[in-house]
Amino acid sequence: APNYRLGALGWLAAPGETANLGLLDQEAAIAWVLDHIEAFGGDPQNVTVMGQSAGAMSIPCMLMRQPRFQRAILQSASLGRGFRSADQAHEIADIFLHAAGAANLEEARQLPVQALLDAQRAPLVLQWLAREGAQRSLFAPVADGEVLPLQPERALRAAAAHVDVIVGYNRDEMAAFPGLGLDQASRELGDQVYGAPSRQWADDARARGQTAWSYRFDHRPNERFGACHCIELPFVFDTLAAFAGAPMLHGTQAHDAERLTNDLQSAWLAFVRHGDPGWAPWPHQKVFA
């Protein structure tokens, strides 16, 4: 997995500066893969991009531009949060820079990274986010008119025409976030942010001649977190041992862990290698429980 710039280093959108640098970093990584993959026995015409949460949100952003990959796996893409406008991004950038102790971007470049990290929790920054009311992170894709279009929602629908996809979400996404859980309101919010937009992406892909496979991850080892945001990751990557103490996995039985890991990895790898995860395409939805 490639690294890319996070937080202010990758996503601060100040007036007069290029926005969405973290996204451009990801595209640079894909370009490197395409240039070198044959040396490792790979095929530059058979590239699958996979992302989860913010990473899954980045894939539609790249598909709105000039995609250089053939397939994509979108796990819990927060498409329902939409895109921040340039004006909004410039407003929070100004508040953020002053919270970090910088009058402008040049001064900010002289600051230690810790000052930028501290500014993320500054009261004025958090108040602005609360007023925005969009359930977005402080740093998110910006419809700047240069890297991403000024009307991203329209471009997003068209972007589904470019690649075959696995696209899905978890049953209880919001239970991983503070103040939310397994109640009806949390479930409805999770469907608004993750579920419905994922199903819409599958619909749009199908309508535009691509094949989409939809899934929902329902494994709920305990009644506190249910099938919350991120819970599928240890199964996808077979890293359950590293997550042994994770509260979201408390109660997972060994036989379920083995079964889900095998099922997810087999499907994902079949899609990467052959373009078909092994279940019926959308409108069918595969449930992993």
Side-chain angles (χ1 to χ4, degrees), residues 49-289:
V49 175
M50 171 180 164
Q52 189 267 349
S53 195
M57 185 68 178
S58 291
I59 294 172
C61 290
M62 287 186 276
L63 290 170
M64 291 159 63
R65 291 167 47 77
Q66 293 181 327
R68 302 184 66 194
F69 47 91
Q70 288 68 46
R71 288 190 285 272
I73 301 174
L74 281 67
Q75 298 174 209
S76 300
S78 54
L79 292 163
R81 290 187 172 130
F83 296 80
R84 190 166 284 141
S85 72
D87 287 345
Q88 290 173 311
H90 294 164
E91 182 180 331
I92 188 55
D94 183 64
I95 295 170
F96 176 84
L97 289 174
H98 282 84
N104 52 52
L105 201 59
E106 286 304 314
E107 288 186 14
R109 290 189 174 112
Q110 310 306 313
L111 294 173
V113 171
Q114 189 60 48
L116 302 178
L117 296 177
D118 291 342
Q120 293 180 168
R121 299 186 295 273
L124 287 177
V125 170
L126 297 179
Q127 289 168 19
W128 187 94
L129 270 178
R131 287 197 306 272
E132 185 188 33
Q135 294 288 327
R136 295 191 191 108
S137 301
L138 172 57
F139 299 108
V142 177
D144 62 324
E146 178 186 358
V147 176
L148 293 175
L150 291 173
Q151 295 182 317
E153 287 76 16
R154 182 184 303 170
L156 194 66
R157 301 292 292 268
H162 292 307
V163 297
D164 290 346
V165 293
I166 292 176
V167 55
Y169 53 97
N170 299 345
R171 177 178 174 178
D172 307 305
E173 293 276 4
M174 305 311 294
F177 297 93
L180 298 167
L182 305 181
D183 57 282
Q184 184 65 23
S186 296
R187 291 283 299 279
E188 289 176 358
L189 180 58
D191 198 61
Q192 174 188 326
V193 173
Y194 299 99
S198 294
R199 298 190 298 272
Q200 184 65 57
W201 185 278
D203 258 345
D204 292 339
R206 184 184 183 216
R208 289 162 172 78
Q210 298 294 340
T211 307
W213 288 268
S214 174
Y215 77 89
R216 193 180 73 202
F217 192 83
D218 280 17
H219 180 60
R220 308 172 87 216
N222 62 71
E223 291 302 314
R224 167 59 185 89
F225 291 99
C228 67
H229 192 60
C230 295
I231 196 173
E232 87 283 8
L233 289 174
F235 302 97
V236 169
F237 292 108
D238 194 11
T239 52
L240 283 157
F243 284 81
M248 68 177 179
L249 292 174
H250 180 72
T252 300
Q253 301 299 308
H255 64 277
D256 286 330
E258 183 178 3
R259 173 180 54 81
L260 286 167
T261 298
N262 288 338
D263 287 352
L264 283 166
Q265 290 200 330
S266 296
W268 269 219
L269 289 172
F271 179 71
V272 168
R273 291 169 177 159
H274 310 297
D276 187 336
W279 70 82
W282 180 257
H284 171 76
Q285 185 175 59
K286 169 75 170 178
V287 175
F288 293 95

Side-chain angles (χ1 to χ4, degrees), residues 1-4 23-36:
N3 287 327
Y4 61 93
L23 184 68
L24 299 182
D25 289 347
Q26 294 170 58
E27 291 187 342
I30 292 171
W32 187 94
V33 169
L34 294 175
D35 287 343
H36 298 283

